[in-house]
Amino acid sequence: MHFTAQGDIGLGAGAKKVLDVIAGLDPQLNLALGDFSYRAGGEQQFCDMVTGKLGTDLPYQLITGNHESNGEEGDIDKFVRCLPNKLPGLQGQYGIQWRVDVPEQNPVVRFILVSPGIDFKNGNPLDYSKGSERWRWTAEAIDQARSQGIPWTVVGMHVPCFSLGEKSCQAGKDFTNMLIDKKVDLVLSGHDHVYQRSHQVGLGGNCSELVPANFSATCLTDKDGSMEQGAGTVFVTVGVGGVELYNVKNNDPEVGYFSTWSGKNRNPALGTLDVTVSADQLAARFVPAAGYSFTDSFALHRR
């Protein structure tokens, strides 16, 4: 199967350029990783922009960002109404926390979309702390995919933990390490308006956990673009769906975890991640919008 993913979109010319790229790639579904209109009352305008570029049949699947989770610059409930779920078998609360296997019969990938680290209408974040109900829901969704023999597991959320942009570990250290410990294949995020792709990272041996704002080479399991499934997790931030880019910090203490990165001050590019998944391989590439040249590609292979 074939999907695209990006976050931090907006209503401007950049967003429309990225949607043109997605339309040309013709995926089976798109993961929109939060922060949609950046405008209170702009929900219908955003939905009309998306369907005008991509049509009404493409599953344009939503997970909330901080700009619409609390209702200040859009309301996730309104986005969900005008861009509803179109994937059969989805479980959970669409737009907030959900999972789905694709294809529905003989699936090759389980998507798990969650919302740690952002505030909702009551001013409080959802509880993804260790052992909480949402933590257990996520862990069980990962374990069940493994027990059912689904080849690949992809987790998506708005906020990253490790980043060379402006943001800190809003996703939470413990929650992030749980994803690594369970060997999730690919973790996607937005929030930081940069593109960044990690090396494959894993726990074990001399690496008991990854600690934000620090780097440990013992946590790296593979540093090239061709990686083996089960050795660790790849993290990709694709916060370049249309809005203004942030700078990347080449001297960030976490820089050792990353293979490549792009931001306002280094190889700037808007665009989308483009992913093709088979039973044996997950292959991904960054496809820039018109006027940009930065690219990236990597692959995970099943043992």
Side-chain angles (χ1 to χ4, degrees), residues 183 200-203 219-222 227-233 303:
K183 296 181 170 60
Q200 196 175 31
V201 295
L203 305 182
C219 298
L220 300 179
T221 57
D222 200 319
M227 294 164 274
E228 188 174 272
Q229 186 189 46
T233 301
R303 295 178 178 177

Side-chain angles (χ1 to χ4, degrees), residues 5 21 31 62 102 130-132 134 138 149 154 167 205 209 232 246 249 265 272 274 278 280 282 284 294 299:
V21 173
L31 297 178
L62 306 179
V102 182
K130 189 171 184 179
S132 67
R134 292 181 183 276
T138 307
V154 175
K167 306 301 183 180
E209 64 175 1
Y246 294 164
K249 301 171 185 175
N265 60 334
T272 185
D274 180 44
S278 69
D280 300 319
L282 185 155
F294 172 80

Side-chain angles (χ1 to χ4, degrees), residues 151-264:
W152 303 96
T153 303
V154 175
V155 169
M157 65 187 81
H158 181 59
V159 298
C161 181
F162 303 96
S163 184
L164 305 181
E166 297 183 359
K167 306 301 183 180
S168 60
C169 183
Q170 285 182 237
K173 182 188 75 170
D174 290 344
F175 187 78
T176 301
N177 276 285
M178 181 268 284
L179 301 180
I180 301 169
D181 185 50
K182 289 190 174 294
K183 296 181 170 60
V184 169
D185 298 303
L186 180 64
V187 176
L188 302 174
S189 65
H191 195 45
D192 247 337
H193 300 176
V194 302
Y195 175 86
Q196 54 190 3
R197 191 251 302 176
S198 78
H199 298 300
Q200 196 175 31
V201 295
L203 305 182
N206 293 323
C207 177
S208 60
E209 64 175 1
L210 269 70
V211 178
N214 288 275
F215 171 67
S216 174
T218 61
C219 298
L220 300 179
T221 57
D222 200 319
K223 294 181 64 176
D224 60 28
S226 181
M227 294 164 274
E228 188 174 272
Q229 186 189 46
T233 301
V234 177
F235 291 82
V236 184
T237 298
V238 200
V240 291
V243 295
E244 184 178 357
L245 300 172
Y246 294 164
N247 287 334
V248 286
K249 301 171 185 175
N250 299 317
N251 61 347
D252 190 284
E254 297 169 350
V255 70
Y257 287 125
F258 289 93
S259 173
T260 189
W261 53 94
S262 162
K264 184 177 181 179

